[in-house]
Amino acid sequence: MSTSNRSASSASVSSSVYEFVREHGRTFHKYKEGKYFLPNDKREQNRLAEEHPDSEVLGTDLSPIQPDYLPSNCRFEIDDVDDDWVHSHKFDYIHGRYLLPFVKKDWAVFFKSIYDNLNPGGWFESQETIIYFQSVDGSVEGTALQRWNALLLRGIQMMGRSATEALRCKNYLAEAGFVNLGEKKFAVPMNPWAKGDDQKAVGAMQMANNLEGVDGLTMTVFTRALGWAPADVEQLLADVKNDLKDRNIHGYITVIVVWGQKPQ
């Protein structure tokens, strides 16, 4: 990634940025409050793995939760991808992870911003999870998990977002002018129900990830968009977590990786 001076769209890391919003025992970002649905506390940070390649890296986030000690080639800015991109340098590679469900602006404008901020020959890649549980044998039908999923998707839509927009990401890239497009979809078992050691291991990791992440996401969407009381959310979550651990429910979610290159 090319180096970039601090953009004018970035928020200065003042004391107010660190005044996190507290809801239902969790903390959320104060800058652009309500934009991102997942918490930013230690519990959520511990759920996410962090790796940085040996290159010049600029990371942006709505929350100032990055570690104090960073490699010399890595820095962070408090920024919002929905704002105008005014970096003084362009990039060789732009990566997004679990980003698209929280983009609120016009999708064509968003991908045009990415395109315009890449050097010729530069690449964009996005790794996204589609929050939609399915099963090939119908075992998800009629479960608390299915009910929760339908309500979650409705709530996210009511908040002006789309949890399934990544399914159309390749088309958006083509419309923006990207070439050498690629897309891979992975069916990830929600727990160790699947056959084979590798799939069982993946399912076990996904189950742990789901069980850690479901609380913050659900409480945010259900209370803010659907008007649920926290106690009612907790009651539903108890049933959902039981379903997520039930190996008789052969559910899976789709992880999609999409990429494209700006022409030389």
Side-chain angles (χ1 to χ4, degrees):
M1 180 181 286
S2 302
T3 58
S4 170
N5 291 337
R6 193 170 188 82
S7 70
S9 65
S10 301
S12 62
V13 185
S14 62
S15 59
S16 62
V17 177
Y18 292 91
E19 295 173 358
F20 297 153
V21 177
R22 294 185 177 275
E23 287 188 18
H24 315 299
R26 308 296 297 271
T27 64
F28 297 80
H29 62 93
K30 177 67 173 178
Y31 174 58
K32 298 296 184 70
E33 182 179 340
K35 178 71 185 293
Y36 194 77
F37 305 154
L38 285 167
N40 63 6
D41 49 27
K42 288 294 183 182
R43 177 176 169 187
E44 178 66 12
Q45 294 175 50
N46 290 336
R47 189 176 68 87
L48 304 175
E50 297 177 353
E51 293 184 3
H52 302 289
D54 187 18
S55 59
E56 294 296 320
V57 176
L58 168 64
T60 65
D61 201 337
L62 290 168
S63 296
I65 58 172
Q66 294 72 34
D68 294 329
Y69 299 99
L70 296 170
S72 60
N73 61 346
C74 181
R75 62 192 179 87
F76 290 94
E77 293 180 354
I78 308 306
D79 207 352
D80 183 354
V81 295
D82 272 339
D83 288 341
D84 292 335
W85 293 31
V86 291
H87 300 288
S88 60
H89 292 77
K90 295 186 178 182
F91 303 97
D92 298 319
Y93 174 72
I94 296 176
H95 175 77
R97 184 163 68 96
Y98 201 43
L99 175 68
L100 300 184
F102 306 100
V103 172
K104 194 171 184 178
K105 75 189 316 183
D106 182 87
W107 285 91
V109 174
F110 173 69
F111 284 99
K112 182 66 162 50
S113 296
I114 296 173
Y115 185 90
D116 290 344
N117 281 270
L118 281 170
N119 288 316
W123 290 86
F124 168 70
E125 180 184 43
S126 183
Q127 176 183 321
E128 302 289 337
T129 299
I130 309 299
I131 316 174
Y132 178 57
F133 287 85
Q134 305 175 72
S135 61
V136 295
D137 60 358
S139 54
V140 169
E141 301 296 322
T143 63
L145 177 65
Q146 185 186 48
R147 176 173 177 251
W148 162 85
N149 207 163
L151 289 167
L152 182 75
L153 293 178
R154 184 195 307 168
I156 291 175
Q157 185 177 29
M158 291 171 64
M159 298 174 81
R161 316 298 204 279
S162 172
T164 59
E165 203 66 35
L167 294 171
R168 292 174 282 278
C169 183
K170 188 176 179 181
N171 292 335
Y172 288 123
L173 290 177
E175 293 170 2
F178 285 90
V179 296
N180 296 325
L181 301 175
E183 179 182 83
K184 286 187 178 180
K185 294 179 181 179
F186 303 89
V188 181
M190 72 177 194
N191 63 41
W193 65 262
K195 294 180 179 179
D197 292 341
D198 289 345
Q199 287 297 299
K200 288 187 181 300
V202 170
M205 290 186 287
Q206 184 60 43
M207 181 178 69
N209 187 50
N210 289 336
L211 291 173
E212 281 294 320
V214 69
D215 291 280
L217 178 63
T218 303
M219 191 64 72
T220 301
V221 175
F222 278 53
T223 57
R224 293 183 188 177
L226 301 178
W228 281 43
D232 293 333
V233 178
E234 293 288 358
Q235 184 175 351
L236 176 60
L237 278 171
D239 294 333
V240 171
K241 289 178 180 180
N242 286 334
D243 284 351
L244 287 171
K245 294 181 287 187
D246 188 347
R247 298 192 187 190
N248 292 316
I249 301 176
H250 301 152
Y252 68 90
I253 58 174
T254 299
V255 173
I256 182 171
V257 181
V258 186
W259 62 90
Q261 183 181 29
K262 183 174 182 176
Q264 295 280 359

